[in-house]
Amino acid sequence: MEVDQVVPLPRLPRVAVCGGTHGNELSGVYLVRELLKLQREVMKKEQEEDLKPASVLLVLSNPRAMQQCRRYVDTDLNRCFTHATLNGPLSDMAPYEIIRSRELNALLGPKGSPAAVDLVCDLHNTTANMGLCFIAYSDCDWICLHIFRHLQVSNTASYFSEIFSYSLDSVGKHGFAMEIGPQPHGVVRSNIYTAMKVGVQHMLDWVRLFNSGFVDVFTMVKHIDYPRDSETRNITAAIHPCLQDRDFCLLHPEDPLFQTFSGETVRYKGTEPLYPFFINECAYYEKGIALSLARKRRVTIPAIRVTTVLSPCSPKSVTT
């Protein structure tokens, strides 16, 4: 499907990463467990520093099947997310996965509603030699396609879509399964686990970039030379130890700048905090530059697209 205009899309503040939908596909199980551990450590640090907590929801989808190291207990959980299954009558003898699908729908959905999470990434393994593969229920979900392309830059990856939206990843506003193989069920291979871990990290990096819509840019303000002898022009001080190796760390007025060879501290006398860079660069001694100072500002990134001419009389463009 070809699009010749920029498509505006809302941010993705709520992202879910799910593992163990099939209980014997262990890369996702171990990865989500590891991410949960890291998330607890990060959230503890954020709470201590009064920062906004992480917004990624990590889910172990099928705990009973994971415990038994089986694909499923009663029925395939990843076929239980049709509207009929999620909203139909529920008997006392309902299979475990039918009950679990409704719990997951309440957590991540409800499916098709504005309250659903913005993106679901469901982690799977295959015994087939498919490498890193994206499976989505739409071939025109621009979010999933852009994430796929972002991963494709550094990975050999494939993408295909299904016509049926019965899987867990269909509960979110956007969603896909990340399928990686070959890996036998019931075991975990280090290279496959690592490939999945890298893929998930790239996906989350893309979401953060997409949500931000801007980049931090440092604009050079001035250079500062070393203190020098007025007659010989030899330097009389070195970069202060408190400043050395702190490129792009904010330098405030009266912060230590140089330490003279006689042991005195020379302080920064600027009128505003600035960001130093190229601190003590060897090649800049001859240029009379001890460090450079810059202001930081955030630049909003507009959408861009590559213009391609399909024929001399019919120019078209595709989004990037």
Side-chain angles (χ1 to χ4, degrees), residues 173-195:
K173 296 184 181 73
H174 307 275
F176 61 90
M178 184 182 293
E179 187 105 27
I180 304 183
Q183 177 172 283
H185 295 323
V187 304
V188 59
R189 290 177 53 174
S190 177
N191 61 321
I192 301 299
Y193 170 87
T194 300

Side-chain angles (χ1 to χ4, degrees), residues 22-264:
H22 293 140
N24 60 354
E25 297 177 8
L26 297 188
S27 292
V29 172
Y30 284 108
L31 180 54
V32 169
R33 284 175 176 168
E34 177 66 16
L35 293 175
L36 281 166
K37 176 183 174 183
L38 294 174
Q39 189 180 67
R40 284 192 292 270
E41 295 172 356
V42 169
M43 289 182 70
K44 181 179 179 182
K45 181 179 179 181
E46 288 171 340
Q47 289 170 358
E48 291 173 351
E49 299 179 1
D50 196 26
L51 297 175
K52 184 179 179 181
S55 58
V56 178
L57 180 61
L58 300 168
V59 180
L60 291 168
S61 307
N62 198 336
R64 288 191 188 178
M66 288 164 44
Q67 188 176 23
Q68 299 176 30
C69 198
R70 296 171 54 185
R71 182 176 176 87
Y72 53 81
V73 177
D74 295 319
T75 190
D76 194 334
L77 177 61
N78 215 32
R79 300 297 184 272
C80 294
F81 293 93
T82 63
H83 285 286
T85 303
L86 293 172
N87 300 301
L90 189 66
S91 71
D92 294 337
M93 301 298 292
Y96 165 70
E97 278 82 7
I98 297 294
I99 298 171
R100 182 59 179 157
S101 71
R102 296 192 177 205
E103 294 172 350
L104 291 169
N105 188 49
L107 177 66
L108 305 176
K111 179 175 179 175
S113 77
V117 297
D118 298 288
L119 176 66
V120 175
C121 172
D122 192 23
L123 304 175
H124 289 268
N125 289 121
T126 174
T127 60
N129 188 21
M130 292 170 57
L132 174 61
C133 180
F134 271 38
I135 304 173
Y137 56 90
S138 170
D139 61 359
C140 57
D141 186 321
W142 308 129
I143 292 292
C144 293
L145 287 167
H146 271 272
I147 293 172
F148 166 66
R149 190 179 63 172
H150 181 70
L151 266 71
Q152 210 174 31
V153 171
S154 53
N155 294 277
T156 302
S158 304
Y159 183 106
F160 71 90
S161 61
E162 296 180 322
I163 59 173
F164 303 111
S165 59
Y166 45 52
S167 54
L168 174 57
D169 55 272
S170 70
V171 173
K173 296 184 181 73
H174 307 275
F176 61 90
M178 184 182 293
E179 187 105 27
I180 304 183
Q183 177 172 283
H185 295 323
V187 304
V188 59
R189 290 177 53 174
S190 177
N191 61 321
I192 301 299
Y193 170 87
T194 300
M196 179 176 284
K197 183 177 182 180
V198 171
V200 169
Q201 188 58 60
H202 281 316
M203 180 271 294
L204 294 175
D205 288 343
W206 184 90
V207 170
R208 292 187 187 99
L209 289 171
F210 175 78
N211 286 341
S212 70
F214 59 79
V215 293
D216 289 329
V217 174
F218 294 90
T219 303
M220 214 272 290
V221 175
K222 61 180 177 180
H223 303 300
I224 294 181
D225 193 7
Y226 295 92
R228 294 180 181 272
D229 184 276
S230 58
E231 295 182 0
T232 65
R233 301 305 298 162
N234 291 329
I235 65 173
T236 59
I239 295 293
H240 196 280
C242 293
L243 179 61
Q244 183 64 54
D245 300 326
R246 289 183 56 80
D247 297 74
F248 298 107
C249 296
L250 199 58
L251 179 69
H252 294 87
E254 297 303 321
D255 281 352
L257 190 60
F258 298 105
Q259 187 174 71
T260 68
F261 297 138
S262 59
E264 299 172 349

